[in-house]
Amino acid sequence: MNPVFYILVTLFLTSVIWSVIFLMSWFTLGKKQYAMLWTIAFALSACQWATILAEPLFDSHTLYWMLGSSFSVGSVLLGTWGHCIRVNSSIKIRYLIISAIVTLAAVYYFTVINVHVGLFMSLYVYYDVILLILSAVIIFRHKQKSLPAEIGASITYSLCGLLLFVAASIALLQGSQVNEEYIALYTLINFMTVPAAHVGMAVFMIFIMASDLAEKMNHLAMTDVLTGCLNRRGFYNKSQEQLKDKLNNYKYVSLIYWDIDKFKKINDEFGHAGGDVVLVEAAKIMQDCINPDDLFGRIGGEEFTLLIARNDEPTAKAFPEKLRNALASSPIHFNDKIINVTASFGVINIKCNKTAIESAIESAINEADKALYHAKNGGRNQVVHISELSQ
């Protein structure tokens, strides 16, 4: 039996298997919309290979060709759509759908109305190539540091797109009439490229989903559930990662340690539900004041920390006072009651050698805690700065 038949059967079966795998992933990994789109994409791919296998059963070449090309375009379109959703891309999917409809209309035109073998064989493949390259760019560029699975997927999509471009160009070279030599070369490139690319893309898509889950779990492990800011572990990890860069790029780096005044009294008067509202709203007030690259964490209870970096000392030293005033001037509403909240702040400037980065944050927190103690003893609702920490 023709080897091509076995390749097509293998592609059909692998597409079905991958479709089932992605459906299971959709169920088990949070029912992500992009996982369902990838499920349907591989199902359409299976339909494409089934159509090619069933070619002898078709009475109409037009129906056969339009079904096969539609399944191919639909599969790649849904795959790209899934990547757009996953990374929150600004690309408007309606434009991709419209371009798919236009492409298939052109394929129909050159298949039935003005027959041109090179065009009806290549146009839909060129469309697939464009979407594969677009997917590669979307995957690779959506964040500064790509995951290994994203890099692998991007490379696989690019290589597949490049080889399909070669195949489409060979098909186009036929002109309006069938050229058996070009057909043979076109078939050879397709069946050398598609099976490996098919499996490669599916594997990396699974890896991407697994990596996303791992990132989500890591984020949850370092995030305070109540306030949404970093927890103790997250703050320590992130601050140690970023301190070196902050010290190299900014003139003034400081750690601010603050806690809410008389929080026990708030809990006693308004209950733990009221206390939780105060914690959440106080955190929001502070987050509205900080820069995007400032690190904000909840160390425990009503105690919070901030690691900030500024380019001039007056701005840095005035910032804790700005935070104190923002909280003090923003009454917090709980049910039909108003809770006036203040906080005390301890601040330490950080300077350290590169070898002391790991211990600098812990030492800074200890020193800032001493400053906070003075702020509490001094009457609360105030900021106390102490001399800089040098290691």
Side-chain angles (χ1 to χ4, degrees):
M1 195 171 282
N2 192 331
V4 171
F5 173 80
Y6 292 110
I7 294 174
L8 288 171
V9 169
T10 301
L11 286 169
F12 169 74
L13 292 175
T14 54
S15 294
V16 171
I17 292 169
W18 282 117
S19 182
V20 172
I21 290 172
F22 278 107
L23 182 61
M24 292 171 61
S25 301
W26 176 76
F27 272 113
T28 57
L29 299 180
K31 295 188 177 181
K32 299 292 185 182
Q33 187 178 2
Y34 61 81
M36 178 54 70
L37 288 171
W38 291 344
T39 300
I40 302 172
F42 276 94
L44 289 180
S45 185
C47 292
Q48 179 189 359
W49 307 126
T51 300
I52 297 173
L53 282 167
E55 181 183 3
L57 303 177
F58 283 90
D59 295 329
S60 167
H61 172 75
T62 301
L63 177 61
Y64 159 74
W65 193 260
M66 291 307 301
L67 274 177
S69 55
S70 297
F71 286 138
S72 176
V73 167
S75 175
V76 179
L77 174 61
L78 289 176
T80 303
W81 190 354
H83 287 297
C84 288
I85 290 175
R86 173 181 171 266
V87 303
N88 294 318
S89 172
S90 60
I91 295 173
K92 303 297 183 183
I93 192 62
R94 63 175 175 270
Y95 297 137
L96 299 183
I97 295 174
I98 291 170
S99 61
I101 294 171
V102 171
T103 299
L104 291 173
V107 170
Y108 180 82
Y109 175 80
F110 290 113
T111 303
V112 178
I113 301 171
N114 183 13
V115 180
H116 191 290
V117 174
L119 286 173
F120 80 64
M121 285 186 66
S122 62
L123 281 177
Y124 80 93
V125 182
Y126 280 131
Y127 177 83
D128 290 350
V129 169
I130 292 171
L131 290 196
L132 287 170
I133 299 300
L134 179 61
S135 294
V137 173
I138 289 171
I139 294 167
F140 188 73
R141 295 191 60 185
H142 86 280
K143 55 185 174 183
Q144 281 188 330
K145 188 176 181 181
S146 299
L147 299 168
E150 291 174 323
I151 295 172
S154 184
I155 292 172
T156 303
Y157 273 77
S158 299
L159 289 175
C160 182
L162 177 62
L163 291 169
L164 286 179
F165 176 82
V166 173
S169 299
I170 290 170
L172 183 61
L173 287 174
Q174 294 179 103
S176 60
Q177 301 298 320
V178 173
N179 183 308
E180 294 298 337
E181 291 184 2
Y182 283 127
I183 289 287
L185 187 55
Y186 167 83
T187 303
L188 177 64
I189 293 175
N190 261 322
F191 285 108
M192 286 178 61
T193 302
V194 174
H198 199 253
V199 173
M201 287 189 291
V203 168
F204 280 116
M205 288 160 77
I206 290 292
F207 283 164
I208 284 174
M209 293 176 68
S211 298
D212 286 347
L213 179 62
E215 274 202 336
K216 181 179 179 181
M217 297 302 293
N218 185 54
H219 174 74
L220 290 174
M222 295 197 297
T223 302
D224 178 60
V225 177
L226 181 63
T227 62
C229 65
L230 294 169
N231 60 20
R232 175 184 287 270
R233 174 187 174 187
F235 183 81
Y236 270 90
N237 289 351
K238 292 286 187 181
S239 56
Q240 286 180 357
E241 288 174 7
Q242 297 183 20
L243 181 58
K244 181 179 176 181
D245 288 338
K246 290 183 183 297
L247 290 170
N248 288 337
N249 298 324
Y250 293 90
K251 295 179 180 178
Y252 200 91
V253 178
S254 58
L255 186 134
I256 304 169
Y257 197 161
W258 63 277
D259 83 3
I260 297 171
D261 294 329
K262 299 182 179 179
F263 186 71
K264 185 178 182 302
K265 182 179 179 181
I266 294 173
N267 268 335
D268 290 342
E269 186 173 348
F270 300 99
H272 288 290
D276 286 349
V277 168
V278 167
L279 290 171
V280 171
E281 294 302 317
K284 286 181 181 178
I285 291 167
M286 296 300 175
Q287 288 171 321
D288 288 341
C289 297
I290 63 179
N291 293 344
D293 60 343
D294 293 336
L295 291 180
F296 178 44
R298 181 185 176 198
I299 298 299
E302 69 275 22
E303 299 174 346
F304 295 83
T305 52
L306 270 163
L307 183 68
I308 68 167
R310 302 291 185 268
N311 273 323
D312 62 277
E313 186 174 338
T315 299
K317 287 194 170 182
F319 184 68
E321 182 60 31
K322 175 185 175 182
L323 296 176
R324 185 204 64 77
N325 186 62
L327 184 60
S329 60
S330 303
I332 294 172
H333 296 270
F334 173 64
N335 295 333
D336 57 345
K337 301 173 182 178
I338 294 177
I339 307 174
N340 293 305
V341 179
T342 63
S344 301
F345 296 76
V347 186
I348 180 77
N349 181 31
I350 302 176
K351 286 187 178 180
C352 66
N353 300 318
K354 294 179 181 179
T355 56
I357 293 292
E358 291 187 4
S359 61
I361 293 298
E362 187 172 352
S363 299
I365 289 177
N366 291 336
E367 294 299 315
D369 188 31
K370 294 176 184 177
L372 175 61
Y373 176 80
H374 290 299
K376 292 286 188 182
N377 281 351
R380 299 185 176 86
N381 190 25
Q382 59 181 279
V383 178
V384 173
H385 294 261
I386 60 174
S387 59
E388 68 185 27
L389 173 69
S390 297
Q391 292 192 351

